[in-house]
Amino acid sequence: MKKQIIDTDLTRAQQWGDAAYIGSDIVLSERIADAPIPSEPKRMSFVLIALCRRGKAQYSIDTQEVMIKPNDLIIISDRHIIDNYMASPDLEGLCIMLSRPFYYEFVQRASNVSSLLLFSLQHPVVTLTPDEVQVFCNYFSVIKKRIAMPDHHYRKELVSTLLLAMFYEMSDVIYRGQQTTKRQTRADVIFTQFIRLVEQHFRVERRVGWYAEQLCITPKYLSETVKAVSKRTPNEWIDNYVTLEIRVLLKNTNKSIKEIAEEMHFANQSFLGKYFKERVGISPSEYRKG
């Protein structure tokens, strides 16, 4: 029997051991081992940033296997599907969880935000140096202490500012070894807005022209901009989201291909089959059996 995908939120995370939190926007915990081991795939509805301090763990993210070890920084943006989670008994780590609205609210103020987004989408794990581990731990400690000050009039704003500073520090990891970094440009902003629109609408809308219209720019300009920033075309980004969702639905649900076609707003099962095979190389039924 195929496993059902369950949407998860920050509510249960607030109950982990020593969790510190502000409403449903921010949760911090040093007891990552307290996280319940899911028996079914979990679709992330929040952004997860975690540092493994001890032990090992493995899981699949959107059906791709991931292994983590000490000093690994894990970044998982929302809407990814986590499954097959296993951890060693001695697992220890620091975990920061942010609601989608709160994350986008403060990260939009960061320069090179598209690079951060690209990194989390394509590289969910990066190994930190000892100095970088210490930086992360220092920020985590300060942020957690500020969360524990409910009478502070600007508590949420202060925590948001500290998180932004931490993101700048961690973004430097991404640019490790690079000689220069660029300032945020209009292209960065357009790319980020495009990705957010795709995340929200890819099940219904697959036309580049529609996304360009929402952004009040021409399809040609959108295509040139997205390609320049990400090295991928808008169609490739849209296809990636669509085929990934179809793969997950095929592997992790009992829904028929016809039902999946309806859910993904294809005209019929035949159209979905053709679309999927052109991009994945095999038919949906073959993929499901594999």
Side-chain angles (χ1 to χ4, degrees), residues 77-132:
S77 56
D78 60 307
R79 298 220 52 79
H80 290 293
I81 295 177
I82 307 301
D83 195 12
N84 303 319
Y85 174 76
M86 292 184 291
S88 62
D90 60 340
L91 179 67
E92 293 181 8
L94 310 178
C95 189
I96 300 174
M97 291 157 280
L98 308 171
S99 72
R100 176 190 174 91
F102 180 75
Y103 169 74
Y104 281 114
E105 178 185 333
F106 84 80
V107 82
Q108 283 284 32
R109 303 199 304 258
S111 64
N112 294 316
V113 67
S114 63
S115 296
L116 286 170
L117 182 59
L118 271 170
F119 178 79
S120 66
L121 288 171
Q122 298 177 336
H123 305 283
V125 177
V126 62
T127 301
L128 303 185
T129 67
D131 286 345
E132 291 162 348

Side-chain angles (χ1 to χ4, degrees), residues 255-266:
K255 293 180 180 179
S256 68
I257 296 175
K258 180 181 179 181
E259 289 173 326
I260 294 173
E262 292 173 352
E263 181 173 331
M264 298 298 294
H265 290 79
F266 282 88

Side-chain angles (χ1 to χ4, degrees), residues 90-191:
D90 60 340
L91 179 67
E92 293 181 8
L94 310 178
C95 189
I96 300 174
M97 291 157 280
L98 308 171
S99 72
R100 176 190 174 91
F102 180 75
Y103 169 74
Y104 281 114
E105 178 185 333
F106 84 80
V107 82
Q108 283 284 32
R109 303 199 304 258
S111 64
N112 294 316
V113 67
S114 63
S115 296
L116 286 170
L117 182 59
L118 271 170
F119 178 79
S120 66
L121 288 171
Q122 298 177 336
H123 305 283
V125 177
V126 62
T127 301
L128 303 185
T129 67
D131 286 345
E132 291 162 348
V133 167
Q134 190 59 55
V135 168
F136 183 93
C137 292
N138 290 343
Y139 272 104
F140 185 95
S141 177
V142 172
I143 292 169
K144 190 174 182 183
K145 288 177 181 176
R146 294 300 177 267
I147 289 177
M149 298 169 59
D151 296 331
H152 195 298
H153 185 68
Y154 297 103
R155 179 176 65 147
K156 189 171 182 179
E157 290 80 4
L158 179 58
V159 169
S160 175
T161 301
L162 289 168
L163 282 167
L164 183 60
M166 186 195 74
F167 263 66
Y168 276 119
E169 293 280 10
M170 292 301 102
S171 70
D172 189 60
V173 175
I174 300 171
Y175 300 118
R176 186 191 306 148
Q178 294 186 359
Q179 297 297 314
T180 60
T181 60
K182 63 179 181 179
R183 297 177 63 86
Q184 186 180 22
T185 65
R186 173 164 167 75
D188 292 318
V189 174
I190 289 174
F191 172 71

Side-chain angles (χ1 to χ4, degrees), residues 10-27:
L10 294 179
T11 305
R12 293 188 67 181
Q14 294 172 354
Q15 302 170 11
W16 295 1
D18 65 338
Y21 56 90
I22 298 179
S24 58
D25 284 326
I26 313 163
V27 179

Side-chain angles (χ1 to χ4, degrees), residues 3 38 40-41 58-60 63 65 82-86 252:
K3 295 181 286 186
E40 64 281 310
Q58 67 182 65
Y59 56 90
S60 64
T63 73
E65 294 296 323
I82 307 301
D83 195 12
N84 303 319
Y85 174 76
M86 292 184 291
N252 296 314

